[in-house]
Amino acid sequence: MALATGTDRRPSRTRAVWDSTVGKKAVMAVSGLIMLLYLVAHMIGNLKVFFGPGEFNAYGHWIRTVGEPFMHYSWTLWVIRVVLVAAVLAHATAAYQLSRRGGRARPARYVRKKRGSDYATRTMRWGGVILGLFIVWHILDLTTGHVHAGGFQEGRPYQNVVDSFSTWYGNVIYIVAMLALGLHIRHGFWSAAQTLGAGGRTRDRVLKTAANLLALLLTAGFVAVPVGVMTGVVS
């Protein structure tokens, strides 16, 4: 009887799913939906800035006390952060590997590309890079305060937001990133629905409309904050 060697071992089911193109697309879809749910909640929270410093600062304190007394101070927030970091890393890794795999599989002489799909691919790729860089800047600006303008104030998110969007570069970085986010959601939401089997001839139009509306709503909601500071509505 022959003994199995290390080279004869079959990969685990989890590894086999991850190594497959379908598995990577599923990881992208699920991680993308996790981030989308967070973005909706984050946008709603951001809009509280229009109700004044008292309510917005109270909201900033509340998200650190969610789950008390069962959860210690900031534990729930850190759980959310860990889940988001895992989702971002999984999403970015799967996207990069799928891009590399697609490049290797493409023939040397590609006869003709579909203009729509090619535009969507480029938009998703560069949009992802822009958003990745923005996340780093956003954390250093409004979470740790390392690149914050005007002096970072711990526990006073309203003042920090006003300071950040009182600079021209803060507004440019944020608005460009939010426009990239809108395009990313517009293409990504529909792609995720297709990957997870929600698409179909009768549902594609509904899904595309939902993707457009969701992208528009989130972009407008996020951009409203710097515009509010620039126009003096938030001050």
Side-chain angles (χ1 to χ4, degrees), residues 36-126:
L36 182 60
L37 289 174
Y38 168 77
L39 287 170
V40 171
H42 189 42
M43 182 201 68
I44 294 172
N46 280 3
L47 293 177
K48 289 180 178 290
V49 76
F50 289 99
F51 295 95
E55 184 157 344
F56 194 69
N57 289 340
Y59 163 70
H61 176 72
W62 173 80
I63 61 177
R64 287 165 173 76
T65 60
V66 175
E68 288 187 346
F70 177 74
M71 298 290 281
H72 191 63
Y73 181 81
S74 286
W75 279 13
T76 302
L77 180 60
W78 274 105
V79 169
I80 294 172
R81 286 170 173 169
V82 169
V83 172
L84 282 173
V85 169
V88 169
L89 291 176
H91 197 80
T93 302
Y96 174 74
Q97 293 182 356
L98 283 171
S99 178
R100 290 290 301 273
R101 182 172 293 181
R104 289 194 299 266
R106 188 176 296 118
R109 294 185 178 181
Y110 195 70
V111 179
R112 196 170 189 175
K113 294 181 181 179
K114 292 183 179 179
R115 293 184 62 183
S117 62
D118 187 50
Y119 168 76
T121 300
R122 291 199 309 270
T123 301
M124 293 293 285
R125 183 181 298 123
W126 286 109

